[in-house]
């Protein structure tokens, strides 16, 4: 499993994928909101979403696992 982690602290504004979705490298999967800015979180490799560890409205810290790819 490959982990996708938050690069900075913020609130999860939108989760753009669901478990089972196929994703490609560079695809935005989650959008964080921090200091009134939207920060896209992109996957670095192709894969399938195995699990999502956060939800919209939840606060995450730098390094928190947001989702896992298989």
């Amino acid at each position: 499993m490959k982990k996708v982690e938050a690069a900075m602290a913020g609130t999860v504004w939108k989760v753009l994928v669901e478990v089972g979705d196929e994703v490609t490298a560079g695809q935005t999967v989650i959008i964080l909101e921090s200091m009134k800015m939207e920060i896209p979180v992109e996957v670095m490799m192709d894969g399938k979403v195995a699990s999502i560890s956060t939800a919209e409205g939840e606060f995450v810290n730098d390094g928190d696992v947001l989702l896992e790819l298989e």
Side-chain angles (χ1 to χ4, degrees):
M1 298 262 196
K2 305 288 186 209
K3 296 178 181 179
V4 178
E5 299 176 346
M8 65 185 309
T11 302
V12 177
W13 186 61
K14 291 246 184 228
V15 178
L16 305 174
V17 294
E18 296 179 3
V19 172
D21 286 358
E22 295 285 339
V23 295
T24 56
Q27 180 177 339
T28 300
V29 292
I30 291 177
I31 300 175
L32 299 179
E33 188 275 326
S34 181
M35 299 181 295
K36 304 210 186 271
M37 293 176 50
E38 294 175 13
I39 298 99
V41 177
E42 300 175 346
V43 291
M44 296 299 148
M45 74 278 312
D46 295 349
K48 183 176 179 181
V49 179
S51 66
I52 299 174
S53 308
T54 191
E56 291 179 8
E58 189 173 293
F59 184 83
V60 294
N61 287 302
D62 180 22
D64 284 358
V65 175
L66 302 175
L67 58 83
E68 290 184 319
L69 301 177
E70 52 182 40

